[in-house]
Amino acid sequence: MDQEQILARITAMVDDERRLRDALAAGQIDSETEHARLGQLERDLDQCWDLLRQRRAKSEFGENPDEARARPSSQVEDYLS
């Protein structure tokens, strides 16, 4: 994935987060469903942000950003920026 694709994916996931919260507020889903789906979205977002940071760092230091690879969510989960 290139930078634009990663950013588009992040935007789509943020939109999904909003829809989930709206669905909960409207009573369309229960809090358990929202919590499970949000947890997965948060893990996916962590991976995307990590991949984006890797690509940017590689570019900054003259390396090929296409060599950046998504790391497991267990590795990037709860990173602080």
Side-chain angles (χ1 to χ4, degrees), residues 6-18:
I6 296 168
L7 289 170
R9 184 159 158 75
I10 288 169
T11 299
M13 285 189 279
V14 169
D15 290 343
D16 286 346
E17 271 186 318
R18 278 192 210 110

Side-chain angles (χ1 to χ4, degrees), residues 60-73:
E60 182 180 339
F61 292 99
E63 296 178 27
N64 182 354
D66 292 333
E67 292 175 356
R69 297 288 175 249
R71 295 187 261 213
S73 62

Side-chain angles (χ1 to χ4, degrees), residues 2-68:
D2 68 19
Q3 182 168 315
E4 295 306 314
Q5 291 170 317
I6 296 168
L7 289 170
R9 184 159 158 75
I10 288 169
T11 299
M13 285 189 279
V14 169
D15 290 343
D16 286 346
E17 271 186 318
R18 278 192 210 110
R19 280 191 288 275
L20 280 171
R21 293 182 195 286
D22 290 345
L24 178 66
Q28 297 168 337
I29 60 173
D30 60 30
S31 60
E32 187 175 311
T33 301
E34 182 222 22
H35 182 73
R37 290 182 184 171
L38 281 176
Q40 184 59 53
L41 275 173
E42 289 170 1
R43 288 185 293 277
D44 292 346
L45 276 167
D46 286 345
Q47 284 181 294
C48 282
W49 282 117
D50 177 66
L51 182 57
L52 187 61
R53 286 184 194 108
Q54 285 182 61
R55 288 185 60 83
R56 288 177 174 170
K58 285 187 177 292
S59 290
E60 182 180 339
F61 292 99
E63 296 178 27
N64 182 354
D66 292 333
E67 292 175 356

